[in-house]
Amino acid sequence: MNEDDKIQRAVRRTVGIAALKRIRRIVDADNELEAGKQRWARRLGVLFMLAAILALAWMLIR
């Protein structure tokens, strides 16, 4: 194995590691976005449920 082959392997390895790190950052950002959407969906669900209970209670009291 000559010096040029070693350099090429090292370059490919470095580029591969950099690509994997970049993909990991993209996946982490996407996971964080999805977690945020789930939190908002849960909050809106609770809000709508509370509004329905209050509306029902208001109709029963009147």
Side-chain angles (χ1 to χ4, degrees):
M1 181 183 303
N2 62 23
E3 190 67 29
D4 196 38
D5 289 339
K6 288 181 183 179
I7 292 172
Q8 287 298 321
R9 271 191 358 190
V11 168
R12 282 194 304 268
R13 183 174 186 274
T14 302
V15 169
I17 290 171
L20 288 173
K21 286 180 181 179
R22 188 175 195 191
I23 292 169
R24 180 77 249 167
R25 285 193 302 269
I26 292 169
V27 169
D28 287 343
D30 187 53
N31 288 342
E32 182 65 31
L33 180 64
E34 289 299 318
K37 287 180 183 178
Q38 287 177 356
R39 283 191 298 269
W40 275 107
R42 191 177 309 117
R43 289 174 186 165
L44 287 174
V46 169
L47 180 67
F48 287 139
M49 183 64 74
L50 181 61
I53 290 171
L54 289 175
L56 182 62
W58 183 74
M59 284 190 283
L60 291 175
I61 290 174
R62 277 194 92 178

